[in-house]
């Protein structure tokens, strides 16, 4: 035995007043780090709130979820319903983008608890006269609280009187247990000892596009005809092509004036000739900086027109926001204090020691003048939002402080709640997650390098499950201008097809960098994971009508994405067993299981692979003995299957993947019909 | 595009001042509901704190964990070390029971970040003269901060001077990168923009016994000789037996005066004869209530002596705290407002409708006079703590408010930090967990009813893993006076042995209700899960020397528990594959893997079962090809094994379990030795 503490003789501490409330609220969902960050949802969602509501003994609980759009104004109320096992739930619709708040309140339901005992005793034939009088007392107390609602007051008083009457006990029991009375008492329950969440939880509601989008990245300057520098007008002409592909987000690398000092030449060489176009990410020149347009692309007016024309086709223009400056950026002269200075007074250029990038100056986010810098950078988003842009792809956000993003994105979203931000970060996993928590709507992922069955299964299973799925929305890219992964360099046409099918079906958002992708460009700069003659440093011309192009296949895949609600969300992903390490099988189903897509992908680009599929039929919403049809959207083949086992074989020289939509067979009066 | 919000024109919000700090702290462990409840540890533990510390880019982080005993006084500091993947860790020892606090602070390590780039550039043969001047500047700034430590100030100034000198660059680089200098700069780092946890996290440190204990429950009144009512002196004589069993916690049902009104007779009958002793849980009579001793057991002085005598043998007396009153309890007259009154003015007795327990009045924790009631109940713990009791087994805590327990247990622990509370709650899972969060040191579990291989594997795997393991310490009971489970009623001697071995090895704490257990009492009251002629309602006499008693087997198992550190904790539990549904195989290993215990249990009490064991050798700390010895502590058999596969067979008519201690073979100079 230790010695008693010196506190031993101290008088007892007073229990906190709220301790009288007998309900404890625990494990509230949705929740990111217990409310430190908002959970993410999209417009049209039902936010399903669940919580453990604990009370001692057998007593019953009543409670509500309160919710509101924004952080001010009145809360709306929705009753909590028991799910069993002390879990309760209520849901509310979110019909507009922006911050929403919810909170919970729960209390002992005295009336229901009393009624529960009364009912059991009455059923067992016990005398319940005292219990009926107790019930009358509860009704009288409720009537007291209900004086300002005369109808309710009357109902409660009358019922109390009836319970105190000399009517037969069975009659009075029936009165006490009647549902309509229960509803009136519920409205006037004693909630003075209710337990509440300490602070409301927040949900960030984004436009649907934040969850579900098909991105297509293109360099405007490569769209000129006959080797000419492309313009916004060329991009406008290109919209029909993008629409035909079925992509809904057209992402343009930076469109600002490009610096001349230390401009990079083709293939990232250090000396550029006079005609070399430079990297669009070396932002800023005499013509302006982050709020200006590169003169060779056109005017601000042209750009605004492009945004509108695209939107008319259902395509959003995504703008690249890269917070860094070329040595010629107007900021450098106007705000030298926004940059790090070296010991000789020169400005520190970007480095990844020992590599040096003399054409790019990073900002100093902790500079003495940091507040002015942060405000200016936030104003860049606002400027382009004013021009109509709602989708931003942010370059290298992981080299800027998380605290900056948390502040900046919130400021922009407060003004443009329908703005979307994609974080281009392939950085360390926890930092990538930190950016999503800080407010990015979508995130690039490591899918780009996940190639084996085990890697893909583990990585995607993690991405679509809580806690990640509450705040991180994956956007899968098979390639980017910076990344031509090894498996594309050394694969075959089948590699391009299978990576596309997986990106487009494993996640509700995906993107490709084209036309390199559909034209299956695969030649890398020697020893690098990067394209030879990369558009980042030079103009390229593409033959979009090349007969080997994947454009029609991409269009078909996007068509399935649009038609099948199963592919509109990240939940509902199931991996199915297939006894071949080169075959990956997975399905997505919609919440109501009326849409189900099953993919089988041959990961081997060289050889035919076959194997017995063992479907998790329950995940597909198909009964164990129910026949169902698997319709391959790529080959057009239809299979009629029944039971979990089916043999599948894929020849990569034909199509390396099955993209099945599933239809259950329904017996109608006259015939069999397939339905979604 | 939605319409821009009305906030569009509003000026930007000011970023919060602490946003300048570039480090974000995330996922701090240990943590229960993000700090809403304390994590639990025992005296002597190292508290290993981990957190994700996120910073943008390649910069390096430094930071500390600060900790202190209690909630006031100065914090001690321990540096955080990187674990890789943005995770950091620091640990501190907790050498006294009670509340401990810790917090985290982390900041950009400017010196290390600068040195990292400098080193890489120097290694690549680049000119680093500007970097050396930059380093000198950092040292000068540090020297400025170090003025009140003249030695450090001097070291820093001298080093800065050397870096600015004309000495060869290589020499200056070596100075800049030297470790002793790094340590001085580290001490005087600029932490003005450090990030801190918003509030300290708490850890409840309990005595080791809270984690590791072997309980033995006995009714004192059954220990009298020749049918006489037993006394505390009889219990004293019984201590030698308990010590021989190897149990370290002797739990006595309530020792208070027993009510006479509605006293229960043998086998829970409603009418007691004049000589019937009544249930010890019907607390309170003319002789006193919760702070009095039942006269037939002896005096308070006798009880105190028993507590001391037990402690001298290493045994703690655990007291039963049952917050309920018999109709004769002095509280009923003195504080009628502490009870619920029915409509006719009578006091509400306990019910589980339609069942009624007229001999027990529950307290009304929400009564108008609730604060006085709560204070009185807390004072019951304090009274017995003053008599020397440190272990409390709390009866039915799930029928009292969680908020009461949170307050009451904290008040007691503040005065007696070495107090331990075992929650007797077999209630709904989340409420059971809620009680552990509210402050109970140990919890009864559903082990009592988990019998199949799958049930045991799933249930125990959950119990020993986070999040449960951070706050809930299981105490496994094969039986209690209230529960004679079906498998004991209809099993064989093997059932009693296997349940005991599992309880004692699957968890660091376990208990049995004896002598019924070692004497294998299995006759139930017709149709009930309860003992016939239960000691709860009558005196029993036991022949402890019955030759079939399991006492020596229990002693042997407890001996292994004392000898093997593997069994001193709940972590380190691994289930091993064995292809027979009736055989359960699992191991426990100590953190340093020097102690390993492997159990194989035949769950079938009737038939011999055999199967091929496939060991997870890594979990045992044994190499794939390393020979090792398995020494069965129950049968004395020794097996020399090598590799993962071994055949095991258990005949329940002999011993239904192997309790192996494992020893690896070590080649010494002359011979083979076995070592732990």
């Amino acid at each position: 035995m230790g010695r008693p503490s010196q506190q031993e003789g101290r008088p007892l501490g007073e229990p906190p007043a709220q301790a009288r409330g007998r309900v404890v609220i625990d494990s509230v969902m949705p929740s990111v780090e217990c409310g430190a960050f908002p959970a993410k949802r999209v417009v049209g969602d039902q936010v399903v709130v669940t919580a453990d509501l604990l009370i001692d003994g057998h007593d019953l609980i009543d409670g509500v979820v309160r919710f509101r759009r924004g952080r001010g104004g009145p809360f709306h109320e929705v009753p909590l319903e028991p799910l069993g096992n002390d879990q309760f739930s209520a849901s509310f619709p979110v019909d507009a983008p922006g911050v929403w708040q919810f909170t919970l309140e729960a209390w002992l339901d005295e009336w229901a608890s009393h009624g529960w005992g009364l009912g059991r005793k009455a059923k067992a034939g016990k005398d319940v006269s005292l219990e009926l009088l107790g019930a009358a007392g509860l009704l009288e107390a409720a009537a007291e609280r209900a004086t300002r609602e005369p109808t309710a007051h009357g109902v409660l008083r009358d019922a109390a009187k009836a319970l105190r009457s000399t009517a037969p006990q069975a009659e009075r029991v029936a009165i006490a247990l009647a549902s309509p009375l229960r509803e009136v008492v519920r409205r006037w329950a004693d909630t003075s000892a209710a337990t509440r969440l300490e602070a409301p939880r927040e949900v960030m509601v984004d436009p649907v596009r934040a969850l579900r989008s098909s991105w297509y990245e293109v360099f405007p300057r490569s769209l000129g005809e006959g080797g000419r520098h492309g313009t916004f007008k060329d991009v406008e002409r290109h919209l029909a092509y993008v629409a035909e592909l079925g992509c809904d987000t057209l992402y343009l690398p930076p469109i600002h004036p490009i610096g001349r000092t230390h401009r990079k030449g083709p293939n990232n060489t250090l000396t550029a000739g006079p005609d070399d176009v430079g990297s669009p990410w070396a932002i800023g020149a005499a013509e302006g900086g982050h709020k200006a347009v590169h003169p060779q692309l056109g005017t601000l007016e042209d750009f605004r027109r492009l945004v509108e024309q695209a939107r008319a086709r259902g395509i959003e223009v995504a703008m690249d926001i890269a917070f860094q400056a070329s040595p010629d950026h107007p900021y450098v002269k106007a705000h030298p204090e926004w940059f790090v200075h070296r010991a000789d007074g020169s400005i520190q250029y970007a480095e990844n020691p020992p590599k040096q990038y003399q054409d790019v100056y990073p900002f100093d986010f902790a500079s003495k003048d940091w507040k002015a810098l942060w405000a200016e950078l936030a104003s860049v988003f606002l400027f382009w939002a004013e021009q109509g842009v709602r989708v931003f792809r942010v370059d290298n956000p992981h080299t800027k402080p998380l605290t900056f993003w948390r502040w900046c994105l919130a400021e922009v979203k407060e003004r443009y709640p329908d703005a979307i931000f994609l974080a281009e970060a392939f950085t360390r996993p926890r930092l990538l997650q930190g950016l999503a928590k800080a407010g990015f709507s979508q995130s690039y992922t490591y899918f780009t390098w996940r190639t084996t069955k085990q890697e893909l299964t583990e990585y995607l299973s993690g991405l679509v499950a809580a806690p990640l799925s509450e705040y991180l929305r994956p956007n899968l890219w098979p390639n980017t201008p910076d990344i031509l992964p090894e498996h594309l360099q050394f694969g075959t046409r089948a590699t391009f097809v299978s990576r596309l099918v997986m990106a487009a079906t494993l996640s509700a958002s995906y993107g490709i960098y084209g036309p390199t992708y559909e034209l299956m460009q695969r030649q890398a700069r020697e020893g690098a994971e990067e394209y030879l003659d990369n558009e980042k440093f030079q103009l390229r011309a593409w033959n979009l009508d090349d007969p080997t192009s994947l454009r029609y296949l991409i269009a078909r895949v996007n068509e399935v994405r649009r038609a099948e609600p199963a592919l509109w969300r990240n939940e509902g992903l199931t991996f199915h067993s297939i006894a071949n390490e080169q075959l990956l099988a997975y399905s997505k189903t919609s919440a109501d299981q009326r849409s189900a897509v099953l993919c089988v992908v041959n990961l081997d680009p060289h050889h035919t692979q076959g194997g017995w599929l063992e479907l998790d039929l329950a995940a597909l919403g198909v009964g164990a003995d129910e026949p169902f049809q698997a319709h391959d959207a790529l080959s057009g083949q239809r299979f009629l299957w029944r039971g979990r086992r089916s043999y599948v074989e894929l020849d990569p020289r034909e199509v390396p993947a099955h993209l099945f939509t599933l239809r259950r067979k329904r017996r109608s009066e006259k015939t069999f019909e397939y339905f979604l």
Side-chain angles (χ1 to χ4, degrees), chain A residues 1 154 462 512 551:
Chain A
M1 174 178 63
I512 52 172
R551 60 192 279 191

Side-chain angles (χ1 to χ4, degrees), chain A residues 205-328:
Chain A
V205 177
D206 292 312
V208 170
R209 205 176 288 265
L211 170 63
R212 167 154 68 103
S213 52
S214 309
W215 289 53
Y216 186 74
E217 174 173 6
V218 75
F219 280 73
R221 65 190 185 187
S222 292
L223 298 179
E225 276 161 10
R228 175 178 56 76
H229 191 290
T231 66
F232 293 133
K233 288 204 194 319
D234 293 315
V235 182
E236 242 183 81
R237 268 188 295 276
H238 195 60
L239 287 173
Y241 177 85
V242 178
E244 185 200 283
L245 280 181
C247 293
D248 55 34
T249 309
L250 176 61
Y251 154 44
L252 312 179
I255 59 168
H256 315 298
I258 296 172
R260 293 218 140 262
T261 306
H262 293 300
R263 178 177 283 193
K264 295 283 176 72
N267 286 306
N268 204 13
T269 48
L270 287 179
T271 45
D275 294 334
D276 283 332
V277 289
S279 161
W281 283 273
I283 296 170
E287 299 88 347
H290 283 77
K291 296 175 186 169
V293 158
H294 187 46
Q296 285 189 276
L297 290 173
T299 65
L300 186 58
E301 184 48 46
D302 292 342
F303 177 71
R304 274 200 299 256
R305 199 184 126 88
L306 168 61
V307 171
E308 276 164 34
Q309 291 293 312
R311 188 164 293 142
R313 290 180 176 273
I315 297 171
E316 286 292 311
V317 171
M319 174 130 199
D320 194 305
I321 300 288
F323 283 146
Q324 57 193 24
S326 98
D328 307 325

Side-chain angles (χ1 to χ4, degrees), chain A residues 245-506:
Chain A
L245 280 181
C247 293
D248 55 34
T249 309
L250 176 61
Y251 154 44
L252 312 179
I255 59 168
H256 315 298
I258 296 172
R260 293 218 140 262
T261 306
H262 293 300
R263 178 177 283 193
K264 295 283 176 72
N267 286 306
N268 204 13
T269 48
L270 287 179
T271 45
D275 294 334
D276 283 332
V277 289
S279 161
W281 283 273
I283 296 170
E287 299 88 347
H290 283 77
K291 296 175 186 169
V293 158
H294 187 46
Q296 285 189 276
L297 290 173
T299 65
L300 186 58
E301 184 48 46
D302 292 342
F303 177 71
R304 274 200 299 256
R305 199 184 126 88
L306 168 61
V307 171
E308 276 164 34
Q309 291 293 312
R311 188 164 293 142
R313 290 180 176 273
I315 297 171
E316 286 292 311
V317 171
M319 174 130 199
D320 194 305
I321 300 288
F323 283 146
Q324 57 193 24
S326 98
D328 307 325
H329 197 295
Y331 288 156
V332 177
K333 276 203 185 106
H335 298 284
E337 68 280 9
W338 289 354
F339 302 90
V340 177
H341 292 261
R342 311 176 76 204
D344 64 354
S346 66
I347 292 183
Q348 176 69 62
Y349 41 78
E351 294 184 316
N352 184 7
K355 286 193 214 160
Q356 303 176 322
Y357 307 95
Q358 286 94 339
D359 59 335
V360 169
Y361 290 172
F363 292 111
D364 178 8
F365 282 80
S367 99
K368 290 218 165 66
D369 196 33
W370 66 282
K371 289 193 182 179
L373 169 66
W374 288 28
E376 173 62 20
L377 297 180
S379 82
V380 170
F381 283 106
L382 296 180
F383 176 84
W384 292 107
E386 278 156 35
Q387 312 311 315
V389 177
R390 287 296 178 275
V391 184
F392 299 95
R393 177 271 193 192
V394 177
D395 190 72
N396 276 341
H398 56 287
T399 59
K400 289 94 195 170
L402 288 166
T403 47
F404 166 73
W405 291 122
R406 197 166 187 192
W407 169 82
C408 176
L409 301 183
E411 291 289 328
V412 179
K413 292 281 287 185
E414 206 168 298
R415 289 160 184 78
Y416 297 94
D418 57 348
I420 290 173
F421 308 91
L422 166 62
E424 185 247 6
F426 298 104
T427 181
R428 289 119 51 201
R430 286 183 168 83
L431 184 53
L432 194 155
Q433 292 161 19
L435 287 161
K437 285 180 185 164
F440 281 92
S441 333
Q442 296 190 345
S443 305
Y444 281 65
T445 72
Y446 309 129
F447 165 77
T448 313
W449 299 276
R450 297 290 182 271
T451 53
T452 67
K453 179 172 179 166
Q454 192 196 347
E455 282 171 0
L456 287 160
T457 306
E458 277 177 14
Y459 186 60
L460 268 298
S461 300
L463 273 182
V464 302
L468 274 186
S469 57
E470 291 288 359
Y471 65 89
L472 187 145
R473 298 192 190 100
N475 190 329
L476 308 188
W477 289 72
N479 73 330
T480 80
D482 293 319
I483 309 161
L484 173 62
E486 219 174 47
H487 50 272
L488 291 183
Q489 294 179 36
F490 301 108
T492 68
R493 175 187 176 91
T495 317
F496 281 84
V497 173
S498 65
R499 298 298 294 175
L500 185 279
V501 169
M502 287 192 286
T505 53
L506 283 166

